[in-house]
Amino acid sequence: MSSKPVSIIVAALLPSFGIGSKGTLPWKLRKEMKYFRNVTSKVSDPTKINAVVMGRKTWESIPEKFRPLPNRYNVIITRQDLTKLEKEVGVSYENEINDALIKLQKLDHIEKIFIIGGAEIYNSSIITQLVNNLLITEIKHSKNVEVEMDTYLNKEYILNNFEKRTKDELQSFIGDMDLGETETIVEGDFEYQYEFYTRK
Ligand SMILES: COc1ccc(Oc2cccc3nc(N)nc(N)c23)cc1
């Protein structure tokens, strides 16, 4: 049944939708990290689990003691020969994002599917009809100084093909999770909002 929602979840710096600088994130946002963990882990049916889909470079940059990301089915997209990869519990490997998403749609114990990075996986999957939602944490530098970025989401494609939904629609998508009282969260030099986009 292909009724499982497939969502990209990412934090991006406005206005350019920057998502990385020299392979790292130019911010450390503790509450935002908690949002990411809670949204990707939470299921409404306790007999199910969500899947997180990521590129190999993202997988390899998670410290070994923190991977696989707990309470989620980790799927890694890699060009490596799949027969040479050792099997780990809660982890599967695929060569193509499309193959991964189609296989996940058929797994009954999977509830939601989240694409968690990196840039290559975001920008190649977003242009396929397989991705329905974007959970973008929109970040602004509170002092409006230039933050050096070298990796971006496909902003033009997003604005032409997706539209921003209301906070209520975000809330109903993620279920009963406290999003905090204020729309804007301030952490260090950054302020940000959790946004929810769906295809037009
Ligand atoms: C290096 O490995 C990883 C790098 C990034 C990653 O994704 C995130 C990490 C931390 C916070 C995140 N916040 C949002 N909104 N979206 C993501 N994809 C996040 C998950 C793993």
Side-chain angles (χ1 to χ4, degrees), residues 9-11 25 32-33 35-36 58 61-62 69 116 122 137:
I9 184 163
V10 63
L25 292 173
E32 210 286 328
M33 184 87 81
Y35 170 79
F36 165 75
T58 297
S61 51
I62 303 173
L69 298 184
I116 67 168
Y122 286 139
T137 298

Side-chain angles (χ1 to χ4, degrees), residues 77-158:
I77 310 300
T78 174
R79 291 191 179 87
Q80 287 170 292
D81 177 341
L82 300 179
T83 59
K84 290 191 174 49
L85 290 160
E86 84 281 356
K87 296 286 166 258
E88 270 182 76
V89 173
V91 179
S92 81
Y93 295 90
E94 291 294 338
N95 288 138
E96 297 290 338
I97 179 87
N98 281 20
D99 297 350
L101 296 177
I102 289 160
K103 286 186 186 172
L104 287 168
Q105 288 291 354
K106 296 186 178 96
L107 296 180
D108 288 342
H109 68 293
I110 299 291
E111 183 168 291
K112 291 190 183 102
I113 301 162
F114 293 97
I115 296 168
I116 67 168
E120 202 181 323
I121 297 292
Y122 286 139
N123 288 324
S124 60
S125 61
I126 201 169
I127 56 173
T128 76
Q129 296 297 322
L130 292 162
V131 171
N132 325 96
N133 309 317
L134 309 178
L135 292 163
I136 303 179
T137 298
E138 296 185 352
I139 301 173
K140 290 192 189 99
H141 198 291
S142 41
K143 296 176 182 58
N144 282 321
V145 300
E146 199 45 37
V147 178
E148 180 62 34
M149 304 296 270
D150 58 23
T151 316
Y152 301 89
L153 282 182
N154 186 338
K155 177 178 180 177
E156 187 200 1
Y157 184 85
I158 291 170

